[in-house]
Every structure is written in structure tokens, then in C-alpha cells.
Amino acid sequence: MTQAPAIELKGISKAFGPVQANKDINVRVMPGTIHGIIGENGAGKSTLMSILYGFYKADAGEIFVAGRKTDIPNSQAAIAAGIGMVFQHFKLVQNFTVLENVILGAEDGPMLRPSLARARGVLKQLSEDYELSVDPDQLIENLSVGHQQRVEILKALYRQADILILDEPTGVLTPAEADHLFRILDGLRAQGKTIILITHKLREIMEITDTVSVMRRGGMTATVKTAETSPEQLAELMVGRKVLLQVHKTPARPGAPVLQIDDLRHTDRHGVERLRGVSLTVHAGEVLGIAGVAGNGQSELLEAIGGCVDASGSILLNGKALPLSGPGSDGAARRAAGIAHVPEDRQTEGLIMPFTAWENTVFGYHRDPACQTGPLMNNAAIKQQAQDKMTRYDVRPPNPALAARNFSGGNQQKIVLAREIERDPDVLLIGQPTRGVDIGAIEFIHKEIIRLRDAGKAILLVSVELDEIFALSDRIAVMFDGKIMGERAPESTDQTELGLLMAGVTASQAGDPIAAVDASLHQKERREARAHD
Amino acid sequence: MDKMPAWADAVLVPLISILLAALLSALVILAIGESPLDALTLMIEGALMRSSGWGYTLYYTTNFIFTGLCVAVAFHARMFNIGGEGQAMIGGLGVALVCLFIPFPHWSVALLVATLAAAVFGALWALIPAYLQAKRGSHIVITTIMFNFIAAAVLNYVLVNLLRPTGAMDPATATFPAATHLPTFQDMFATPDNPLFRGAPANVTFFLAVLACVAFWLVMWRTRLGYEIRAFGHSESAAKYAGISPVRITVVAMLMSGGLAGMMALNTTMGEAERLVLNATEGAGFIGIAVALMGRSHPVGIFLAALLFGFLYQGGAELALWTSIPRELITVIQALVILFTGALDNMVRMPLERVFLALRKGA
């Protein structure tokens, strides 16, 4: 090809204080291709894209757009250069219509009416060209997440972007919505647009990209043709050593039911009913995985069982009913009863970030008599056991006096896991066990979960990563809109079936899956909107 | 990973802030035609060079330690208790009631009971805002400010209508019985040939304040309660996860906070005036906010910050007495110190962090 690259980065470096976020990055993105950028959390993907979009200024290096050296001091310059960005967290005004959002910041003049009229025409054309159908007069708050993402893409296209950057676009989508997004991206590529896809999911890279660049610790380790690589090779490039992508486990040998949940309900403080009659049973020696798109009640389910929020219905632990509100229903009581809880968000729930590691290793268990001497806390003993745990779980650096916030995500998660597992609980609730955790630690955490299962613990796993659910679960329950849509065995189901269940569509409705998914999501959002009013 | 060493954060930042405040104050003094150097000399001589000066400085310091600790407890639970002033006023009422109506055999017994009364009255005054915050979500800043006004009005009513001795023109209680007289520094340290601390109001409550600093440290960093308060202060959702009741911590922290504010009244009411007067607190409740901010909510820092403000109060009084610098200017100087150490903290911190970063890179 003699064509100039759509984007070429030469020697880009950026440091934040002592942290080298990007060092000497060189990459060429050819026009009309989908170029994936993959790397672990903190590898520097987002920093690089922020430099490209004018949020940060590089310390060194040059940017060429379509062969011309271009300065991008701010996002206006990026837009002028034809670069559009779809952020992971959408930047939309909730109570504006689609049309109003699209022209926001790109109005033709002081009066809105001509801009809106022109935008309506452009939008109609765009949605016909690229399967990007959205009702232009609908308020953003009434749209599903997938549709909101389309609005973001439309916004970029309306600004005549030729180069589209998408940052972790599938994190919030159901598999069906993600498929639709990929079809849109396909269409865009066919029209000659250039797309940069940032992700940490190997599957997506393999599925849609033409070329992929791998980042590790701020550097670009390789750029390869997707057709000539494999997930295993990419994982190795990301981590810097061989990684086991598969979890090895023997079939589960479930014992007696340990955790029996019946008709569990919870209404949040905005009056939205988040759990609408959940019934589940977890047996000793099995992993029950809860699949679902984030925000369908999984978080509340863990919190209700873990004693963080009040609920109604019933929870039996080894046949004994637990109080669900009032005295004896808090997290401390649940721990005493034998329910350990690795929360979804370790930074705001599982750990106190400014506390030292040793203070965190007893968090939640600090009322244990072993932590006390007379009226004071037995800090010497706590430090000792913290040192023990950190050595055994290979927390790095193994320094108990360091504040929790100074550890990497994976090591923070190990501190939480060590604390919860070491108490030998009957039930382990575990939410998003590997979110923001590097691949090396993922391997360790997955092994640990299977080891506990084989030791006869009842494990309830919540994860938005379907791959993780499939890899670890012995049974899979799918949650949608505060309800269990169904239970499947991992060997007798697939991503498509689960994907429909995650969108609230059961097999009987699946004649026209797309329409059914849209209708179901719409219904959910209507219910939540009503509760807010 | 930390941007600068702990000692720089704890010592250098406040020190530079104070210097900046002093510099600006010097310019103001220069502008009204006085010599800043003379003013400084006068302040130091008046507050630190004579034992009676120290007697006043430490008297003010005692007040500020109590109110500083009061604000710091609440800070640790991520609450802003602006009600130290009102809680101290009501604490004073408690002190006055026990001193007036219980016949004490000895000052030590009187101090013990009065401490209890002061703490209980102050704590109860903080209880209502605490309850409203914990149960109803009414913001503690708003309610404690309102309770300052209510406290002032209550005190006014009680002094004028109930506790004022018949015939007296002054809205104050009768003088307390002699048995409740607390030993002043003069009583304790002066000898016939070395009259130390003559006439100065510093008294035995200073040691009580130092004791409170130690107790504060023990409770906050060595007990389960302190652990829970600090955890709650950093993350309410984490506290819920761990089974720490937000309602309980909010109420307990505010009771402790109010109790400490109330104990300040021991110094002013029992130690100095030996009767309850209308404006015994003299704004010390508000100075406590600056003291806690500057002292980083740590007892050692609070002690040092209280000492600084004690010096400013006493030195300022000397200035007003001996120079044409108006009394109001003292308030300006104090305000500058508060501004620089409290509100403009980051103005000093951020450049300093950069300096340390550059030093480390160079090394």
C-alpha cells in the first residue's frame, strides 16, 4: 500500500510525575481498517488515546494525521483533524433529545432551529448508511445503553470524523448489542472510515480487527495482523509471559444446599425495586455464576446477602433463617454466620484505601476477640497475621505498612481475598473477582476460587464477563431487571442463548430476537424512570 | 509512591504557610505606618518572654486544644462540626450549674464532676444535630451553625432570667464558691522569691487538655471505636460492607466532639472567670476549625497549632495595648493564618510536591 497512514504516532512519551504512562510509542493506523489496541489496565492505552484526542500533551513525539504532521492541543483540534471519540462513559445530556445532543457544541449559529433541521437530515442519511437507527426526538434518558452509544457515534460522524476511537465500547452492552455494534463498525469500515478500538477483551480483537497493537507497561510491545496471531500469543505479549487462558477444573461434586434464597426483594433509596423476587440455591462444593449486564440487580443481590442493605423475603443458611433487616442483619452478623463477601468494588467497599494493608486485613473482622487486648486493638497480632497472609497470597510488595491505595488492582484484590477466605466461611460471595486485575493475578484468583469449591464451599459468583462465568461456574443463572430469567448448565448453553436471557428475552419470545430485546430493555427503563418520578 | 516525605507534609507545609501569612501581615502593618519588626518583637515579648505572658498564651492554648480536638473527631468521621462554639457555651452552663449548686469539699472533686457535666452538656447539644444528620440526612454544617445561635439565645435567657443574682446588672451567674477554685499556674509554680505567672489565668485545666490529646490519640488509633470512626470517615459504603453502623458512628463521633467542646468551658468558666458570663467562649469554637485543619486532625499537630494560636491571641492583645495598631488588625492577622493554613493549603503543598519530585529525579 502506498497510501499514507490515517494516523501515525512517532515516539510519543508521556510521564505523570514518576510514572511513565507512555514511552516511545510508534504506531501506524492504515485508513479503512479497524485497528485494535489491547493491553491490561494501566498499560497506557487510555493515556495514548487522550493524547491523540488532545486531552493530554505528550512530553515528546509527533502525530501525523493522513500524512501531515498535526498538533492536537485540545479536543477541538482533534475534531478539526477528523478524529472522533466515543468514551467508555458517555458524555450525553440526559434530558436533551438525541438531536439536541448531536448538535451540542457544533451549532451552526446562535439560533437552534436551522441547526436542528440540518442535523435531522444528516442523521437520517447516517442512520440509513450505517444501520445506526435512533429516534432523533427521543430523550437520552429514555434510551437503552446500546442506543446511547449509537448517539455518541452519530455525534462523531456528524462532526465529520474520519477516524473513530472507541474506548472499551462493549463493557456496558449485552452480547446482542455488542454484535450490533460490530455490524455498525463493519459498515463504517466498508465506507472507508478508520476505527481504533481500545479493549482488554481478546475475543473482540480476534473477531473484528484487521491489525492489533499490544501495549504493556506504557510501551508498545508489538503490532501484528490479526489474521496472523492467536489469543494465546496476544495474552503473552500483554503480560510478558505465558498465561493459562483456560481454567482447569474437575466436575463439581455438589453437596447439601447451603444458601437458600427465596423471593428476595430490595428497593433502593430512589424507590426503584432492584431485586424483584430472586430465588436461588447454592450447594456446598459448587460455583453458581450470575450472568447479566451491569445494573440488573446483581450488585444488590450480593449486597443483600452480604448484609450491606436491607431486604425482604428469606435467606436460609444451612437451613437457618437469617434476619434481613433490623438488628443482626448487618455485614458483621453475616460474617459471624459464615458468609464471606468479596465485594464488587474493592476501592469503595472492600478496602479503606488510605488505611495500611494490615489495618485492611481485619476490616469487617475487627471485632473478633483475637484483634483485641483489653480495651485496645491488638495491633501487634494484627500486623503479624497480615504479614502471614500477604506472604501466602503473594501480595506484592509484601509490606503490611503500605497504604492499600499503593498496591496494584490485582494485589488489592488478593488482600481482600486473603481476608475473606482465611476465615474458612461456608459461603463465599464474590463480585467481579477480576475487574481491573492484571492477567497474571486473574490466573491466581481463578485457581483460588476452584480450590475453595473443591474444599466444599458454596460459591456465588457475579461477573459481567461472560467468559469468566463460563470458565468458573457449575451452574449459570441469568439476571435481568432484578429477576432470575433462567438457569442453565454451562455445557448445554452458549453465549447467544445467555445473551438473549441477559436482555430479558426467553426462548418463547425469540421469534424476532432484535425486536424482543429492544422491547424488553425499553420496558425495564420505563419501570425505573417511573420509580424516579 | 508518595509524593513527598511525611515530615515535609507535616512540618514544612504548615511552616511555609505561617511564614507567608506573617509576610502578608507585615505588609499590612507596614501599610498603616507601623514597623512590622517592632510589632513582632512586641508580640514575642508579650506572649513568650515573660512567665505571665506564657500564662496567658497557655490559657488560650488550652481552649484551642479542646475545640481543635472537637473539630478533629468530627473530621475523622467526615463531618464538619461548626457547632463547637455553641457546644462550649452549653458546656459552660453545665459547669456553672454543678459549681453553683453542689457543695464540693475540694477542687479536685469539683473538677472531676464539672468535667463530667461540661462533657455531658456539650455532647447533648451535639446530639440533636447528630441525630438529624444520621436519621434524617439534615446537613450537620447547617444544623450545628443554627445550634450556635440557639445556644447563645438559651444562655442569654438562662443568665438574665434564671441564674443572675438578684440586683446584679450583669448577665452572669454569681461567683462560684471558693472550694471550686482551680489552682492556677501562679498557685502551683510561684514561690515567694520567684513570682511566676503572676495574674495569669492559665490553670490546671491545661494539663487536662494535654491529657485529652493523649486520650484522643489512644481512642482514634488504638481502639476499635477509633478504627470504625476512621473507616467510616474514609468510605461510608465500605463501613456498611463491614457491618459498621453509619448511624451509630455519626452519633458517637458527634457526642465525643461535643463533649470535647464542652470541656473547653472548664478553662474559661471554672478556671478563669469563676462564674459563667455571657460570651465566655470568645470565638474559640471557630478557631478550633483552623487548629484542627492546621494540625491535620492529629493530637500532636493540634497541640502545636493551638500553641501558635494561643501566641497570636496573647501577642495580639499586647499589640493592641501598646501600639496604635487597632485591635481589628489582630483579627486580620489571625484570619490570614487561618486562610493560609486552612483554605490555601494546596497553594503551598503543590509547588512543594513538585520541588520534592524534582529533587528525587535529580538524585
Side-chain angles (χ1 to χ4, degrees), chain B residues 283-302:
Chain B
F286 298 114
I287 300 292
I289 296 168
V291 169
L293 278 174
M294 196 173 164
R296 295 286 140 75
S297 300
H298 191 282
V300 174
I302 287 170

PDB file of all heavy atoms in Angstrom, chain B residues 283-302:
ATOM      1  N   GLY B 283     -15.309  32.989  70.627  1.00  0.00           N
ATOM      2  CA  GLY B 283     -14.967  32.514  69.283  1.00  0.00           C
ATOM      3  C   GLY B 283     -13.994  31.355  69.226  1.00  0.00           C
ATOM      4  O   GLY B 283     -13.573  30.953  68.148  1.00  0.00           O
ATOM      5  N   ALA B 284     -13.643  30.801  70.369  1.00  0.00           N
ATOM      6  CA  ALA B 284     -12.666  29.697  70.372  1.00  0.00           C
ATOM      7  C   ALA B 284     -13.184  28.487  69.607  1.00  0.00           C
ATOM      8  O   ALA B 284     -12.407  27.723  69.030  1.00  0.00           O
ATOM      9  CB  ALA B 284     -12.335  29.306  71.810  1.00  0.00           C
ATOM     10  N   GLY B 285     -14.504  28.321  69.573  1.00  0.00           N
ATOM     11  CA  GLY B 285     -15.080  27.205  68.828  1.00  0.00           C
ATOM     12  C   GLY B 285     -14.736  27.283  67.356  1.00  0.00           C
ATOM     13  O   GLY B 285     -14.528  26.263  66.699  1.00  0.00           O
ATOM     14  N   PHE B 286     -14.677  28.509  66.846  1.00  0.00           N
ATOM     15  CA  PHE B 286     -14.355  28.667  65.418  1.00  0.00           C
ATOM     16  C   PHE B 286     -12.857  28.538  65.181  1.00  0.00           C
ATOM     17  O   PHE B 286     -12.431  27.979  64.179  1.00  0.00           O
ATOM     18  CB  PHE B 286     -14.868  30.016  64.920  1.00  0.00           C
ATOM     19  CG  PHE B 286     -16.357  30.129  65.022  1.00  0.00           C
ATOM     20  CD1 PHE B 286     -16.945  31.032  65.880  1.00  0.00           C
ATOM     21  CD2 PHE B 286     -17.169  29.284  64.278  1.00  0.00           C
ATOM     22  CE1 PHE B 286     -18.329  31.114  65.976  1.00  0.00           C
ATOM     23  CE2 PHE B 286     -18.548  29.362  64.377  1.00  0.00           C
ATOM     24  CZ  PHE B 286     -19.132  30.277  65.236  1.00  0.00           C
ATOM     25  N   ILE B 287     -12.059  29.068  66.114  1.00  0.00           N
ATOM     26  CA  ILE B 287     -10.605  28.909  65.978  1.00  0.00           C
ATOM     27  C   ILE B 287     -10.264  27.417  65.936  1.00  0.00           C
ATOM     28  O   ILE B 287      -9.331  26.995  65.256  1.00  0.00           O
ATOM     29  CB  ILE B 287      -9.871  29.577  67.161  1.00  0.00           C
ATOM     30  CG1 ILE B 287     -10.195  31.074  67.216  1.00  0.00           C
ATOM     31  CG2 ILE B 287      -8.366  29.367  67.058  1.00  0.00           C
ATOM     32  CD1 ILE B 287      -9.643  31.877  66.083  1.00  0.00           C
ATOM     33  N   GLY B 288     -11.065  26.612  66.638  1.00  0.00           N
ATOM     34  CA  GLY B 288     -10.835  25.162  66.661  1.00  0.00           C
ATOM     35  C   GLY B 288     -10.805  24.564  65.262  1.00  0.00           C
ATOM     36  O   GLY B 288     -10.064  23.620  64.994  1.00  0.00           O
ATOM     37  N   ILE B 289     -11.599  25.129  64.355  1.00  0.00           N
ATOM     38  CA  ILE B 289     -11.614  24.612  62.974  1.00  0.00           C
ATOM     39  C   ILE B 289     -10.238  24.806  62.347  1.00  0.00           C
ATOM     40  O   ILE B 289      -9.669  23.881  61.763  1.00  0.00           O
ATOM     41  CB  ILE B 289     -12.686  25.349  62.144  1.00  0.00           C
ATOM     42  CG1 ILE B 289     -14.071  25.057  62.724  1.00  0.00           C
ATOM     43  CG2 ILE B 289     -12.626  24.932  60.686  1.00  0.00           C
ATOM     44  CD1 ILE B 289     -15.158  25.957  62.178  1.00  0.00           C
ATOM     45  N   ALA B 290      -9.691  26.018  62.518  1.00  0.00           N
ATOM     46  CA  ALA B 290      -8.361  26.293  61.960  1.00  0.00           C
ATOM     47  C   ALA B 290      -7.303  25.416  62.623  1.00  0.00           C
ATOM     48  O   ALA B 290      -6.405  24.893  61.963  1.00  0.00           O
ATOM     49  CB  ALA B 290      -8.016  27.764  62.146  1.00  0.00           C
ATOM     50  N   VAL B 291      -7.445  25.245  63.933  1.00  0.00           N
ATOM     51  CA  VAL B 291      -6.471  24.430  64.665  1.00  0.00           C
ATOM     52  C   VAL B 291      -6.493  22.988  64.164  1.00  0.00           C
ATOM     53  O   VAL B 291      -5.447  22.384  63.908  1.00  0.00           O
ATOM     54  CB  VAL B 291      -6.753  24.499  66.180  1.00  0.00           C
ATOM     55  CG1 VAL B 291      -5.930  23.460  66.936  1.00  0.00           C
ATOM     56  CG2 VAL B 291      -6.478  25.894  66.706  1.00  0.00           C
ATOM     57  N   ALA B 292      -7.690  22.442  63.970  1.00  0.00           N
ATOM     58  CA  ALA B 292      -7.798  21.055  63.504  1.00  0.00           C
ATOM     59  C   ALA B 292      -7.264  20.913  62.082  1.00  0.00           C
ATOM     60  O   ALA B 292      -6.574  19.944  61.765  1.00  0.00           O
ATOM     61  CB  ALA B 292      -9.249  20.585  63.585  1.00  0.00           C
ATOM     62  N   LEU B 293      -7.578  21.897  61.243  1.00  0.00           N
ATOM     63  CA  LEU B 293      -7.086  21.845  59.861  1.00  0.00           C
ATOM     64  C   LEU B 293      -5.568  21.880  59.833  1.00  0.00           C
ATOM     65  O   LEU B 293      -4.908  21.073  59.186  1.00  0.00           O
ATOM     66  CB  LEU B 293      -7.631  23.030  59.071  1.00  0.00           C
ATOM     67  CG  LEU B 293      -9.035  22.909  58.521  1.00  0.00           C
ATOM     68  CD1 LEU B 293      -9.472  24.233  57.904  1.00  0.00           C
ATOM     69  CD2 LEU B 293      -9.115  21.806  57.480  1.00  0.00           C
ATOM     70  N   MET B 294      -5.016  22.844  60.593  1.00  0.00           N
ATOM     71  CA  MET B 294      -3.577  23.015  60.585  1.00  0.00           C
ATOM     72  C   MET B 294      -2.889  21.831  61.241  1.00  0.00           C
ATOM     73  O   MET B 294      -1.825  21.391  60.797  1.00  0.00           O
ATOM     74  CB  MET B 294      -3.253  24.291  61.337  1.00  0.00           C
ATOM     75  CG  MET B 294      -1.861  24.769  61.078  1.00  0.00           C
ATOM     76  SD  MET B 294      -1.674  26.361  61.856  1.00  0.00           S
ATOM     77  CE  MET B 294       0.085  26.449  61.829  1.00  0.00           C
ATOM     78  N   GLY B 295      -3.495  21.276  62.262  1.00  0.00           N
ATOM     79  CA  GLY B 295      -2.908  20.151  62.979  1.00  0.00           C
ATOM     80  C   GLY B 295      -3.187  18.818  62.314  1.00  0.00           C
ATOM     81  O   GLY B 295      -2.873  17.772  62.869  1.00  0.00           O
ATOM     82  N   ARG B 296      -3.788  18.818  61.130  1.00  0.00           N
ATOM     83  CA  ARG B 296      -4.070  17.590  60.370  1.00  0.00           C
ATOM     84  C   ARG B 296      -4.865  16.584  61.205  1.00  0.00           C
ATOM     85  O   ARG B 296      -4.664  15.376  61.086  1.00  0.00           O
ATOM     86  CB  ARG B 296      -2.783  16.907  59.920  1.00  0.00           C
ATOM     87  CG  ARG B 296      -1.944  17.637  58.960  1.00  0.00           C
ATOM     88  CD  ARG B 296      -2.603  17.594  57.585  1.00  0.00           C
ATOM     89  NE  ARG B 296      -2.445  18.884  56.940  1.00  0.00           N
ATOM     90  CZ  ARG B 296      -1.327  19.305  56.412  1.00  0.00           C
ATOM     91  NH1 ARG B 296      -0.295  18.534  56.399  1.00  0.00           N
ATOM     92  NH2 ARG B 296      -1.251  20.484  55.868  1.00  0.00           N
ATOM     93  N   SER B 297      -5.706  17.080  62.089  1.00  0.00           N
ATOM     94  CA  SER B 297      -6.557  16.216  62.914  1.00  0.00           C
ATOM     95  C   SER B 297      -5.748  15.216  63.727  1.00  0.00           C
ATOM     96  O   SER B 297      -6.251  14.152  64.090  1.00  0.00           O
ATOM     97  CB  SER B 297      -7.587  15.470  62.060  1.00  0.00           C
ATOM     98  OG  SER B 297      -8.406  16.394  61.403  1.00  0.00           O
ATOM     99  N   HIS B 298      -4.485  15.530  63.964  1.00  0.00           N
ATOM    100  CA  HIS B 298      -3.662  14.659  64.793  1.00  0.00           C
ATOM    101  C   HIS B 298      -3.318  15.414  66.077  1.00  0.00           C
ATOM    102  O   HIS B 298      -3.009  16.603  66.038  1.00  0.00           O
ATOM    103  CB  HIS B 298      -2.374  14.274  64.052  1.00  0.00           C
ATOM    104  CG  HIS B 298      -1.614  13.191  64.736  1.00  0.00           C
ATOM    105  ND1 HIS B 298      -0.829  13.432  65.847  1.00  0.00           N
ATOM    106  CD2 HIS B 298      -1.540  11.870  64.501  1.00  0.00           C
ATOM    107  CE1 HIS B 298      -0.299  12.282  66.248  1.00  0.00           C
ATOM    108  NE2 HIS B 298      -0.713  11.325  65.450  1.00  0.00           N
ATOM    109  N   PRO B 299      -3.378  14.729  67.251  1.00  0.00           N
ATOM    110  CA  PRO B 299      -3.217  15.444  68.520  1.00  0.00           C
ATOM    111  C   PRO B 299      -1.916  16.236  68.632  1.00  0.00           C
ATOM    112  O   PRO B 299      -1.935  17.343  69.186  1.00  0.00           O
ATOM    113  CB  PRO B 299      -3.290  14.343  69.574  1.00  0.00           C
ATOM    114  CG  PRO B 299      -3.359  13.059  68.858  1.00  0.00           C
ATOM    115  CD  PRO B 299      -3.749  13.326  67.452  1.00  0.00           C
ATOM    116  N   VAL B 300      -0.817  15.713  68.100  1.00  0.00           N
ATOM    117  CA  VAL B 300       0.439  16.471  68.190  1.00  0.00           C
ATOM    118  C   VAL B 300       0.325  17.762  67.382  1.00  0.00           C
ATOM    119  O   VAL B 300       0.683  18.853  67.852  1.00  0.00           O
ATOM    120  CB  VAL B 300       1.627  15.617  67.680  1.00  0.00           C
ATOM    121  CG1 VAL B 300       2.891  16.458  67.644  1.00  0.00           C
ATOM    122  CG2 VAL B 300       1.817  14.392  68.553  1.00  0.00           C
ATOM    123  N   GLY B 301      -0.210  17.629  66.179  1.00  0.00           N
ATOM    124  CA  GLY B 301      -0.398  18.797  65.337  1.00  0.00           C
ATOM    125  C   GLY B 301      -1.353  19.788  65.977  1.00  0.00           C
ATOM    126  O   GLY B 301      -1.129  21.000  65.930  1.00  0.00           O
ATOM    127  N   ILE B 302      -2.408  19.276  66.573  1.00  0.00           N
ATOM    128  CA  ILE B 302      -3.396  20.146  67.207  1.00  0.00           C
ATOM    129  C   ILE B 302      -2.763  20.889  68.379  1.00  0.00           C
ATOM    130  O   ILE B 302      -2.984  22.090  68.560  1.00  0.00           O
ATOM    131  CB  ILE B 302      -4.619  19.314  67.656  1.00  0.00           C
ATOM    132  CG1 ILE B 302      -5.420  18.907  66.421  1.00  0.00           C
ATOM    133  CG2 ILE B 302      -5.486  20.103  68.635  1.00  0.00           C
ATOM    134  CD1 ILE B 302      -6.497  17.900  66.689  1.00  0.00           C
TER     135      ILE B 302
END
